[in-house]
Amino acid sequence: ESMVANFTTNVGSGIGGVRWWELRRTGGAGAWSMYQQGTVSGTDNNNRYMGSITQNANGDIGLIYNVNGPGTPPVFPSLRITGRTTCDPLGQMSIPETSVIEGTVVNGTNRMGDYNTLAVDPSNGSFWGVGQYCRTGLGTFGNWATATFTTACVPLTTLPWTEGFETVAVGNDVFPTCW
């Protein structure tokens, strides 16, 4: 058995990063123990926060989170994904950080990127996510918009929501197969 979790942490100089870990136990009983852990941060001095992490039956881990800040280059509130396959070195999210959707405007409120989630599609082990980012032209909710996405590139259609909703596909090469 295994479970994954994450939280936002200070990675230095007040910059946020996403700390993650995987706990394991055998036989369905007994104590959980740390199997692996790591921190997702960048070299760009932008914040990473509001993570959502999940693991499929193959042991692949997906992690989505918001990114923003005055780094190099500066980033408006955006949504990114990273991950690892079960055969990757322990403690590393070896799949490069990939933009799900980039923000285009500053946040108009004091809330930042609430309500992200990542889930496993039981039919094929791909990851589906819902997350927030900022875009122009909304006029309400502090410029927050919501995106849904998949790592499997299943054909998607935009749902008939009237404001602040987009559907994007990340691409099926985000999580390569281990050999």
Side-chain angles (χ1 to χ4, degrees), residues 40 48 52 54 61-67 78-84 93 95-102 117-119 126-129 149-152 169-171 174-175:
V40 174
R48 285 152 177 84
S52 180
T54 193
I61 296 173
L63 173 64
I64 65 168
Y65 46 91
N66 289 103
V67 177
S78 302
L79 188 62
R80 308 251 175 104
I81 187 170
T82 188
R84 57 172 282 107
M93 289 288 179
I95 295 170
E97 180 178 81
T98 302
S99 174
V100 173
I101 193 159
E102 290 296 309
T117 190
L118 192 64
S126 65
F127 298 110
W128 283 82
F149 63 94
T150 179
T151 60
V170 174
V174 173
F175 284 83

Side-chain angles (χ1 to χ4, degrees), residues 6-20 38-42 45-50:
N6 75 95
F7 63 88
T8 302
T9 188
N10 184 344
V11 295
S13 302
I15 301 297
V18 179
R19 184 79 176 151
W20 64 273
T39 302
V40 174
S41 62
N45 289 321
N46 288 311
N47 294 293
R48 285 152 177 84
Y49 55 95
M50 295 301 294

Side-chain angles (χ1 to χ4, degrees), residues 60 84-85 87-88 95 172-179:
D60 303 330
R84 57 172 282 107
T85 60
C87 58
D88 290 338
I95 295 170
N172 61 0
D173 61 345
V174 173
F175 284 83
T177 303
C178 285
W179 297 103

